[in-house]
Amino acid sequence: MAKKYQIEIPDSAFKKTDFSTNEELSLSVNHKQINIRPINVSDQLPKINIFWYVIPSIILAAIFLIFFSARNINTVPITGDDYSIANGALILGVCSGLLSFLITFIITKILGKGPSKDFHWRSLPTITIACGLIIVFSLSAIFWLFGQMFKDARFDIYTATAFIFVIIAAINYIMINLALTLSSGVITNLLTIMIIGGMLFSMLTNSKRDWWRYNFSFLGTAKNSTSLQFNITLIFTGLLMIALVDYLFVNIQRRYHGYKIQVLRWLLIMLAICIASIGLFPNNPEFHVLHDRISMWLVYIMLILIVVIRWVLPEVTKQFLVISYTIGAVMSIEYIVFKLTDYLSLTAFELFEFGLAFSWLLLLLQNIENLAQFGQNLFVVKLKPVKEDTN
């Protein structure tokens, strides 16, 4: 006969669930870890009423139709015109998506339901603007691709309106779902999409195809036609990182205390401020010296973080230390090679350093995120064998 075991769950942990006494639950084993959840997995998914995203989409699609009908425009191009599907989707989609996100976030936070209750109100403007910028980058890239694939394509006004409806409905659904599932992991993903997507968008759409012959900072200068997008990306990446650090350390300090945690927190905030300041003070002649100083401060803070991470990050693993010191050594070697030889161009050096530094930063934030989750939701349980009745 197979052995049976029972788990004693603390009352403080039980109160954080929606379980009831004698309720049947499902148990799964994944990577040697036990997960217990309701039998109906759909109960754990966010419930989004279809009317929440369809009705606003119908209203805005009707406004789009009325606007073009009033101007006697019978066919609408995909891109390339002030009155195009791309511009209509961009304006209406961003406004509707952000409004859907804001309303959902505010309502769930006021009611104390969902993950939004763990975020501070001060983080809401930064997260909202970052989401808006990601929508803009995504729609711009998609319609740029459509413009290349379907040159000079035009649709009648009713087909164009149907496209607008589908796009707005999809954006509304995504933004409502985002507000209902917001977490530190989601913010980290937003930060990654924000900085990589913004930079790639600036590289692809700028007027200087040979920008790489100058340096990486050229993308933010006045000589680049898309410098505004590039600089805004850096500014809000820094602000989004501050919001993420703020959220993580509020949770992590429930378990870990002392000045070392504060040192780690302020080093990360200073790093985020440097990232935002590089976008705020681009490498134009009037800001050249300040831009270079801030860039060097960014490098210094990164190196300080790598050196002191052994002491300031609680429960740091040997594997993460090895990765940290390896990345730090590679960055140092690249700097020496760049200064003493002509093997690396300035752009190549900056891209390599950025790639290594950003990869390490994401790993660090992932480690802090795990600590924050454990600090808030870690409980001690007992696993006992059940004695079988032999009678």
Side-chain angles (χ1 to χ4, degrees):
M1 182 179 292
K3 290 184 178 180
K4 295 183 178 180
Y5 298 87
Q6 67 179 16
I7 299 175
E8 293 183 358
I9 301 176
D11 185 59
S12 56
F14 189 80
K15 289 179 178 178
K16 287 179 171 286
T17 71
D18 292 327
F19 300 159
S20 58
T21 307
N22 298 323
E23 177 184 357
E24 288 189 353
L25 304 171
S26 63
L27 182 147
S28 62
V29 180
N30 186 23
H31 298 294
K32 298 183 179 181
Q33 294 181 347
I34 293 176
N35 297 311
I36 300 175
R37 65 184 66 191
I39 292 177
N40 190 358
V41 179
S42 62
D43 291 342
Q44 300 298 301
L45 301 175
K47 296 176 176 59
I48 303 176
N49 193 312
I50 189 172
F51 295 106
W52 296 353
Y53 57 92
V54 168
I55 291 179
S57 305
I58 292 174
I59 294 172
L60 292 177
I63 292 173
F64 177 88
L65 178 62
I66 294 170
F67 178 85
F68 279 83
S69 298
R71 283 163 175 72
N72 295 320
I73 300 175
N74 297 318
T75 59
V76 186
I78 296 179
T79 59
D81 193 344
D82 290 338
Y83 300 118
S84 64
I85 296 175
N87 288 335
L90 197 61
I91 296 171
L92 298 177
V94 170
C95 294
S96 181
L98 293 185
L99 191 60
S100 298
F101 176 82
L102 280 170
I103 292 173
T104 307
F105 183 98
I106 292 170
I107 291 175
T108 53
K109 185 166 180 61
I110 291 174
L111 296 177
K113 297 180 179 179
S116 61
K117 67 179 185 295
D118 296 324
F119 283 85
H120 293 292
W121 287 109
R122 60 177 176 266
S123 301
L124 181 57
T126 300
I127 296 172
T128 303
I129 295 174
C131 290
L133 291 173
I134 290 172
I135 295 173
V136 171
F137 293 150
S138 301
L139 288 179
S140 298
I142 291 171
F143 279 106
W144 176 83
L145 180 62
F146 284 170
Q148 299 299 313
M149 294 172 60
F150 308 104
K151 285 186 178 295
D152 301 324
R154 303 179 71 92
F155 296 93
D156 67 87
I157 191 172
Y158 299 105
T159 304
T161 301
F163 284 148
I164 291 294
F165 168 77
V166 171
I167 292 169
I168 295 175
I171 292 173
N172 287 345
Y173 180 86
I174 291 171
M175 297 305 290
I176 292 171
N177 186 74
L178 179 64
L180 293 174
T181 58
L182 200 61
S183 66
S184 56
V186 171
I187 299 296
T188 304
N189 291 336
L190 288 177
L191 189 148
T192 305
I193 296 170
M194 179 91 176
I195 191 167
I196 294 179
M199 289 181 177
L200 287 176
F201 181 78
S202 184
M203 291 177 189
L204 291 172
T205 59
N206 77 88
S207 57
K208 293 277 189 179
R209 297 303 176 190
D210 59 345
W211 64 268
W212 54 271
R213 295 182 183 275
Y214 301 90
N215 51 50
F216 191 52
S217 298
F218 176 83
L219 293 173
T221 63
K223 297 179 181 179
N224 177 26
S225 60
T226 57
S227 59
L228 181 61
Q229 294 94 312
F230 182 82
N231 292 326
I232 288 177
T233 295
L234 290 176
I235 292 169
F236 281 97
T237 295
L239 294 176
L240 196 59
M241 183 175 166
I242 291 174
L244 175 61
V245 170
D246 185 43
Y247 169 79
L248 288 175
F249 278 83
V250 166
N251 291 324
I252 204 174
Q253 286 173 332
R254 296 175 183 176
R255 185 182 181 195
Y256 303 99
H257 309 281
Y259 73 93
K260 292 181 180 180
I261 285 292
Q262 295 301 322
V263 169
L264 178 58
R265 179 179 189 171
W266 284 106
L267 282 173
L268 287 171
I269 289 176
M270 289 167 61
L271 192 69
I273 291 173
C274 286
I275 293 173
S277 298
I278 289 174
L280 192 61
F281 303 104
N283 195 20
N284 292 323
E286 63 271 24
F287 297 128
H288 175 71
V289 175
L290 181 59
H291 179 89
D292 284 352
R293 294 283 175 85
I294 295 172
S295 300
M296 291 308 301
W297 293 340
L298 180 66
V299 174
Y300 295 150
I301 294 171
M302 280 292 305
L303 293 176
I304 291 171
L305 268 170
I306 291 174
V307 171
V308 305
I309 200 66
R310 175 191 294 273
W311 297 280
V312 298
L313 180 64
E315 301 184 32
V316 61
T317 63
K318 183 178 179 181
Q319 181 183 14
F320 182 67
L321 286 177
V322 171
I323 294 174
S324 300
Y325 295 147
T326 301
I327 289 178
V330 172
M331 290 176 66
S332 301
I333 292 170
E334 281 184 352
Y335 178 78
I336 295 171
V337 171
F338 171 71
K339 283 295 184 180
L340 299 182
T341 69
D342 295 328
Y343 182 73
L344 288 174
S345 67
L346 178 57
T347 304
F349 167 72
E350 289 178 333
L351 286 175
F352 276 129
E353 293 287 292
F354 166 77
L356 289 170
F358 191 65
S359 299
W360 181 81
L361 182 60
L362 289 179
L363 288 175
L364 174 60
L365 292 173
Q366 186 180 42
N367 276 267
I368 296 174
E369 180 186 346
N370 291 334
L371 289 175
Q373 289 178 347
F374 287 142
Q376 184 179 6
N377 300 314
L378 187 65
F379 302 92
V380 177
V381 299
K382 294 181 180 179
L383 187 65
K384 294 182 177 180
V386 177
K387 293 182 179 179
E388 297 292 337
D389 189 359
T390 56
N391 295 331

